[in-house]
Amino acid sequence: MNLPLSFQDIQAAHDLISPFVHRTPVLTSESVNEIAGAELYFKCENFQKIGAFKARGGVNAVMSLPKEQQKNGVVTHSSGNHAQAIALAAKMAGVPAYIVMPKTAPEVKKKAVAGYGAQITFCEPTQQSREENAARIQQETGATFISPYNDYTVIAGQATCAKELLEDHPNLDIVIAPVGGGGLLAGTALSCHYMNPTLEVYAGEPEGAKDTYLSMQAGEITKVDKPSSIADGLLASMGYKNFGIIKPLVKDILVVTDEEIVEAMRLIWERMKIIIEPSCAVPVAALLKYRAPFQGKKVGVILTGGNVDLAKLPF
Amino acid sequence: MNLPLSFQDIQAAHDLISPFVHRTPVLTSESVNEIAGAELYFKCENFQKIGAFKARGGVNAVMSLPKEQQKNGVVTHSSGNHAQAIALAAKMAGVPAYIVMPKTAPEVKKKAVAGYGAQITFCEPTQQSREENAARIQQETGATFISPYNDYTVIAGQATCAKELLEDHPNLDIVIAPVGGGGLLAGTALSCHYMNPTLEVYAGEPEGAKDTYLSMQAGEITKVDKPSSIADGLLASMGYKNFGIIKPLVKDILVVTDEEIVEAMRLIWERMKIIIEPSCAVPVAALLKYRAPFQGKKVGVILTGGNVDLAKLPF
């Protein structure tokens, strides 16, 4: 298998970002284990800087730029967590951050990005408007564009999350993560592959944005027209760099409905007393729905983030 | 000072309950520290069994009964967390639990008590109705009544929480807890007194149920007529056994409004991604409001519980 990132690349990313991000705790819950019929180990990236795993990829992408290039700043488009990640990383590096956000992004995420001192440009909530605005800013400022997910430095950063989980719990049988653009899933699959080749990697994906599911069925990237789900962090389309890693390494994509996502989110809030966002509840919903592959197994679950607008809860 | 419980009593309680309850983690948050101007160490009893510290006192009270007495079961009245604690402890001990709950108690708490197999009797939401029903059941069944807070075995159990906090972080300058009936505050004050006599203990109390504040001012137990607050776990009146401990050992009672409680609760949810109930936000609201005693200090904050009705959030 010809993989674009080695374990040494992931280790280097981990060394680079460790001073800037948290090593997040792994929590367990007897009552959720009972409900799932499995032994679950929750890697709590909701406790990560910016409240989501994207701090890892963002910090790695910004910090690994050559100093000359870094000083013109960085630009990206994102509806939320990646925006915060780049804004935070730029602040830590002392360089400007230009963030294009759809004007429909959750208030809590807009406020957080502004809080890190980034310059925000609001755009229409379409891929085209996002990309056009980012390209214009790139041209005007000389800033480097950092893709939310289709970027090997971002993937290497996200891979550090599963790396820590497997360092803490080497005996896991399965790891499950959500999939949107695929940066986290690709990184997770790489770390698992290098650290324990017999471990199986699954992903949960929302029914209304199941492009990864369709892509795996077809064997090639297949888009979904107008993706839509309460899991607003998972609407991005699979990046080709990620798919090259996911296709050979991921066992299965498990599709869940918005209703199942909200139910899983509520279960985690009620039983574990931690706040997770809808996108983060997707793998939990998947393992509660599909059950069979997980029964009696030790399962690592990547809880990706906890940035929810408390004024707009789905309960 | 003539104190009714020794450090050995607290150690014995800790030994007895340790197999049955969690040693909860202590979390920190840079962003909350910045806002508070202090170094805060949050003892997360919202992650405790039943989602609240009351598991400690409840388990200690039930498990330390003589076997002969235990087998007739236990009875109590409680609007929530103590009810769950006694129900859980009775289940673990294999004896019947009879719980009197006001019919207005939060749904999530009623469900949880029923889930532990306890026999619930619903009563009017008055102290008189609660006590009458409990007394009747006690007579009919021979079960032992366990007070939610005015009981030395309960106080010794609650004391184990601050004991763990000080074992993990011996250099704290201050510990702050909420106060309702006073079991937790009395136990906290005792552990702090024995483990570090120079440490100061504060409590937060809701404006609408400030009987402890008034009692400390008067030097004797002073009741509040019709206590009322969003902090529904703190409406009970100070027990005389607790007051005998709190009066000499607690530095000050800091009163906060319901609005300040909701704001503090929201801050913890948003910044720390953990779920705390309104009663639990009271000491956080107190240290954000009164500021001066806490500036630059290392402050232990007892986060007491996370049992909220997600359908009735104050945001």
Side-chain angles (χ1 to χ4, degrees):
Chain A
M1 215 173 328
N2 194 11
L3 295 168
L5 287 165
S6 68
F7 188 67
Q8 285 67 34
D9 294 326
I10 296 169
Q11 183 62 57
H14 209 185
D15 293 343
L16 186 63
I17 71 174
S18 286
F20 304 104
V21 302
H22 294 307
R23 187 176 182 109
T24 53
V26 177
L27 297 185
T28 60
S29 163
E30 284 168 41
S31 75
V32 179
N33 283 355
E34 254 175 56
I35 293 165
E39 209 175 298
L40 307 179
Y41 296 84
F42 294 97
K43 175 68 171 166
C44 289
E45 291 293 297
N46 53 336
F47 295 162
Q48 187 51 271
K49 294 259 176 181
I50 74 146
F53 74 94
K54 296 224 169 186
R56 296 175 184 269
V59 169
N60 195 46
V62 173
M63 295 291 176
S64 58
L65 287 178
K67 282 273 172 271
E68 260 316 285
Q69 193 181 343
Q70 214 183 47
K71 74 176 199 306
N72 289 332
V74 288
V75 56
T76 196
H77 55 76
S78 159
S79 64
N81 288 337
H82 177 66
Q84 287 186 62
I86 296 300
L88 171 72
K91 188 186 174 197
M92 286 167 164
V95 302
Y98 307 97
I99 311 287
V100 178
M101 297 187 84
K103 55 191 181 191
T104 53
E107 278 311 314
V108 63
K109 295 187 179 181
K110 290 180 191 168
K111 252 171 50 187
V113 170
Y116 293 123
Q119 297 183 38
I120 307 182
T121 303
F122 291 110
C123 71
E124 296 305 311
T126 65
Q127 192 67 13
Q128 195 190 342
S129 172
R130 286 161 69 140
E131 287 175 5
E132 281 173 5
N133 276 280
R136 180 180 50 72
I137 293 166
Q138 206 181 344
Q139 216 160 24
E140 288 170 9
T141 61
T144 304
F145 178 73
I146 297 179
S147 163
Y149 44 86
N150 199 42
D151 177 308
Y152 290 125
T153 60
V154 170
I155 299 170
Q158 319 304 28
T160 61
C161 174
K163 177 171 178 282
E164 290 176 6
L165 175 60
L166 291 178
E167 283 167 357
D168 292 351
H169 297 277
N171 298 326
L172 297 181
D173 302 304
I174 295 175
V175 169
I176 185 166
V179 61
L184 176 72
L185 182 57
T188 301
L190 283 172
S191 282
C192 292
H193 172 70
Y194 291 125
M195 295 176 76
N196 179 356
T198 65
L199 189 154
E200 292 178 339
V201 176
Y202 284 82
E205 190 171 43
E207 176 67 41
K210 59 177 176 186
D211 62 306
T212 311
Y213 172 81
L214 296 173
S215 301
M216 291 287 268
Q217 298 279 314
E220 58 180 14
I221 288 184
T222 308
K223 300 221 172 194
V224 161
D225 200 32
K226 298 201 185 109
S228 155
S229 166
I230 190 171
D232 64 332
L234 305 180
L235 302 182
S237 303
M238 173 57 55
Y240 72 90
K241 292 180 183 171
N242 301 319
F243 192 61
I245 297 165
I246 290 168
K247 194 179 155 189
L249 296 182
V250 172
K251 171 96 174 170
D252 207 357
I253 311 292
L254 306 176
V255 174
V256 292
T257 65
D258 276 13
E259 204 180 6
E260 289 158 351
I261 294 167
V262 171
E263 203 181 318
M265 179 172 159
R266 185 179 193 126
L267 179 80
I268 297 298
W269 284 45
E270 286 189 350
R271 299 299 175 122
M272 296 185 66
K273 314 298 180 193
I274 60 175
I275 291 179
I276 63 171
E277 55 187 89
S279 306
C280 178
V282 168
V284 181
L287 65 86
L288 291 174
K289 178 180 186 177
Y290 291 92
R291 305 192 72 81
F294 308 101
Q295 291 314 287
K297 298 286 174 64
K298 290 189 205 304
V299 183
V301 184
I302 311 237
L303 292 184
T304 48
N307 293 324
V308 290
D309 209 333
L310 293 180
K312 289 183 188 168
L313 293 177
F315 309 125
Chain B
M1 213 172 328
N2 193 10
L3 296 168
L5 287 165
S6 68
F7 188 67
Q8 285 67 34
D9 294 326
I10 297 170
Q11 182 62 57
H14 208 184
D15 293 343
L16 185 63
I17 71 174
S18 286
F20 303 105
V21 302
H22 294 306
R23 185 175 184 110
T24 52
V26 177
L27 297 185
T28 61
S29 162
E30 284 168 41
S31 76
V32 179
N33 284 354
E34 255 175 56
I35 293 165
E39 209 174 299
L40 308 177
Y41 295 84
F42 295 97
K43 175 70 171 165
C44 289
E45 291 293 298
N46 51 336
F47 297 161
Q48 187 52 271
K49 294 259 176 180
I50 73 147
F53 74 93
K54 296 224 170 185
R56 296 175 184 269
V59 169
N60 195 46
V62 173
M63 295 291 176
S64 59
L65 288 177
K67 283 273 172 272
E68 259 316 284
Q69 192 179 344
Q70 214 184 47
K71 74 176 200 306
N72 290 333
V74 288
V75 55
T76 196
H77 55 77
S78 160
S79 62
N81 288 337
H82 178 66
Q84 287 186 61
I86 296 302
L88 171 72
K91 189 187 172 197
M92 285 167 162
V95 302
Y98 307 95
I99 311 287
V100 178
M101 296 186 85
K103 55 191 181 191
T104 53
E107 279 311 313
V108 62
K109 295 187 179 181
K110 290 180 191 165
K111 252 170 52 184
V113 170
Y116 293 122
Q119 298 184 38
I120 306 182
T121 303
F122 292 110
C123 71
E124 297 305 310
T126 64
Q127 192 66 17
Q128 194 190 343
S129 172
R130 287 161 68 140
E131 288 176 4
E132 281 173 5
N133 276 280
R136 181 181 49 74
I137 293 167
Q138 206 181 343
Q139 214 159 26
E140 287 170 9
T141 62
T144 303
F145 178 73
I146 296 180
S147 163
Y149 43 86
N150 200 42
D151 177 308
Y152 290 126
T153 62
V154 170
I155 298 170
Q158 319 304 28
T160 62
C161 175
K163 176 170 177 284
E164 290 177 5
L165 175 60
L166 291 177
E167 284 168 354
D168 291 351
H169 297 277
N171 298 326
L172 297 180
D173 302 305
I174 295 175
V175 169
I176 185 166
V179 60
L184 176 72
L185 182 58
T188 300
L190 283 172
S191 283
C192 292
H193 172 71
Y194 291 125
M195 294 175 76
N196 178 357
T198 66
L199 188 154
E200 292 178 340
V201 176
Y202 285 81
E205 188 170 47
E207 176 67 41
K210 59 178 176 185
D211 62 305
T212 311
Y213 171 81
L214 297 173
S215 301
M216 291 288 268
Q217 297 279 314
E220 59 180 15
I221 288 183
T222 309
K223 300 222 170 191
V224 160
D225 199 32
K226 297 202 186 109
S228 155
S229 166
I230 190 171
D232 64 331
L234 304 180
L235 302 182
S237 303
M238 173 56 55
Y240 72 90
K241 292 179 182 170
N242 302 318
F243 192 62
I245 296 165
I246 289 168
K247 193 178 158 191
L249 296 182
V250 171
K251 171 94 173 170
D252 207 356
I253 310 293
L254 306 175
V255 173
V256 292
T257 65
D258 276 12
E259 204 179 7
E260 290 158 349
I261 294 168
V262 171
E263 203 180 320
M265 178 171 158
R266 184 177 193 127
L267 179 80
I268 297 298
W269 284 45
E270 285 189 351
R271 301 297 176 123
M272 297 185 65
K273 314 298 179 193
I274 60 175
I275 291 179
I276 63 170
E277 55 186 88
S279 305
C280 177
V282 168
V284 181
L287 65 89
L288 291 173
K289 176 178 187 178
Y290 292 91
R291 304 191 73 80
F294 308 101
Q295 290 313 285
K297 298 286 175 65
K298 290 189 204 305
V299 183
V301 184
I302 312 240
L303 292 184
T304 48
N307 293 325
V308 290
D309 209 332
L310 293 181
K312 289 183 187 168
L313 294 177
F315 308 126

